[in-house]
Amino acid sequence: MTAATARAHANIALVKYWGKRDAALNLPAAGSLSLTLAALTTTTTVRFDPRLPRDELTLDGAAAPATRVSAWLDLVRARAGIDHRASVTSTNDFPTASGLASSASAYAALAVAATAAAGIQLDRGALSELARRGSGSAARSIFGGFVEMGVTRAAPVPNADGWDVRMVIAVVDGGVAKQISSRDAMDRCAASSPLYAAWLATVPGDLRAARAAIRAGDLDALGRVAQGSALAMHAAALATRPSIRYLRPTTLAVLDVVDQLDHAYFTIDAGPHVKVLTSPDRADDVADRLRAIHGVSHVLISGPGGPAHLVSPR
Ligand code: DP6
């Protein structure tokens, strides 16, 4: 069978996904809304091979455990009516060790490559559902630009004509704190945080406000929603028993600096890094300010990225 190679970009949620309503189908408890980022790319090649005894995964040049990918590949095998094992080779163009490595770009690229390699054709909505089974945020990376995750799949969000934004990413040296995967953290949060229900209640209104801001090209309105959503999610995580704390001292120092900048708004995911939404003309200045903060090891600027796509065969 032929090999297929696909490419997808990571995305950063402006209205967060944090909690599931069905773990087996990996269905989110609520919607979410993100921006796909050009600067963070995963390229993945899949080859189904009748000679392979088991699925094999190579991640950034090194052999990696294939259990989770293998369970996901079973979905593709079932749809395609094939039984062959596969070799999967995946590389990120951003340092995996930076903590920015994302299951979003990984499962979006994998969905496009694996279906092509298995000889099945799915529309983007069905690809988004398939990517979701691997990772909820991956459903959004099937599409480019602003993307909203709905009940089972994602779809693009129409934005104001000619409107452009930037995301400035400050990589924070997390140091001591043990990272908890977002999957484990959201499950624990849903099970024991007294603020989980309150967090979920913020999502519908934040989605409405974010959609309206994107339609109007209103950076300040979108930025305020994004900050509020991230802080509500982290408040629920902090109140989990025992507490889940992704925010490090340097993270808080970055937030203080962002508060002083005009037209710059932060968001934070399941790690210590800070992503700042701003306008194209302010991005360099924001990046310089973040670089000057002690404990920020690396800063990068990204514009919106396009959808996941097949690289070969074309
Ligand atoms: C904080 O998509 O990694 O980045 O569906 O369990 O794989 P699983 O979770 P995942 O969670 C992402 C959480 C987040 C917020 C977001 O991207 O919306």
Side-chain angles (χ1 to χ4, degrees):
M1 289 185 100
T2 53
T5 300
R7 200 162 276 158
H9 301 293
N11 71 75
I12 300 299
L14 301 171
V15 178
K16 299 298 184 193
Y17 150 49
W18 192 252
K20 301 175 200 285
R21 69 172 184 282
D22 184 314
L25 295 174
N26 204 32
L27 287 165
S32 56
L33 190 150
S34 60
L35 178 65
T36 299
L37 294 185
L40 306 175
T41 309
T42 300
T43 305
T44 299
T45 300
V46 177
R47 180 195 300 273
F48 288 97
D49 187 340
R51 295 163 305 180
L52 283 176
R54 65 187 70 82
D55 293 318
E56 290 173 356
L57 174 63
T58 306
L59 209 55
D60 286 328
T67 319
R68 187 168 157 192
V69 163
S70 194
W72 182 89
L73 284 168
D74 286 343
L75 302 170
V76 176
R77 282 187 278 259
R79 265 189 192 243
I82 58 173
D83 198 30
H84 305 324
R85 303 297 103 181
S87 75
V88 176
T89 306
S90 192
T91 52
N92 295 315
D93 75 346
F94 45 98
T96 314
S98 71
L100 293 171
S102 162
S103 55
S105 51
Y107 276 97
L110 188 59
V112 174
T115 50
I120 50 175
Q121 278 204 325
L122 300 180
D123 64 23
R124 290 205 162 265
L127 280 173
S128 176
E129 293 196 9
L130 190 57
R132 185 205 78 227
R133 297 290 295 268
S135 191
S137 51
R140 301 185 307 237
S141 274
I142 293 296
F143 300 95
F146 291 106
V147 180
E148 181 171 346
M149 179 66 190
V151 177
T152 63
R153 55 172 65 180
V157 179
N159 63 272
D161 268 355
W163 188 47
D164 198 7
V165 298
R166 291 292 178 272
M167 195 75 92
V168 182
I169 301 175
V171 176
V172 167
D173 268 332
V176 287
K178 181 177 177 294
Q179 289 291 316
I180 309 161
S181 75
S182 45
R183 179 160 294 188
D184 291 346
M186 65 175 81
D187 288 352
R188 280 181 42 199
C189 181
S192 74
S193 175
L195 301 187
Y196 178 71
W199 140 253
L200 270 190
T202 65
V203 178
D206 282 352
L207 285 174
R208 270 194 302 278
R211 256 182 247 128
I214 291 166
R215 205 179 318 117
D218 187 337
L219 175 80
D220 296 317
L222 182 60
R224 280 192 287 269
V225 172
Q227 285 197 180
S229 179
L231 291 170
M233 175 201 126
H234 282 275
L238 279 166
T240 301
R241 302 172 183 193
S243 179
I244 296 165
R245 286 194 301 275
Y246 289 114
L247 315 178
R248 307 301 308 146
T250 305
T251 311
L252 298 176
V254 174
L255 304 193
D256 285 349
V257 170
V258 174
D259 277 348
Q260 294 161 17
L261 303 175
D262 289 333
H263 309 300
Y265 301 90
F266 60 76
T267 184
I268 315 144
D269 293 296
H273 316 302
V274 183
K275 293 97 176 189
V276 181
L277 181 73
T278 192
S279 56
D281 59 316
R282 284 172 200 270
D284 286 329
D285 184 46
V286 170
D288 287 345
R289 295 290 297 269
L290 301 187
R291 247 178 231 117
I293 300 168
H294 181 75
V296 170
S297 54
H298 190 67
V299 175
L300 66 106
I301 302 174
S302 182
H309 61 279
L310 205 56
V311 177
S312 79
R314 282 177 186 279

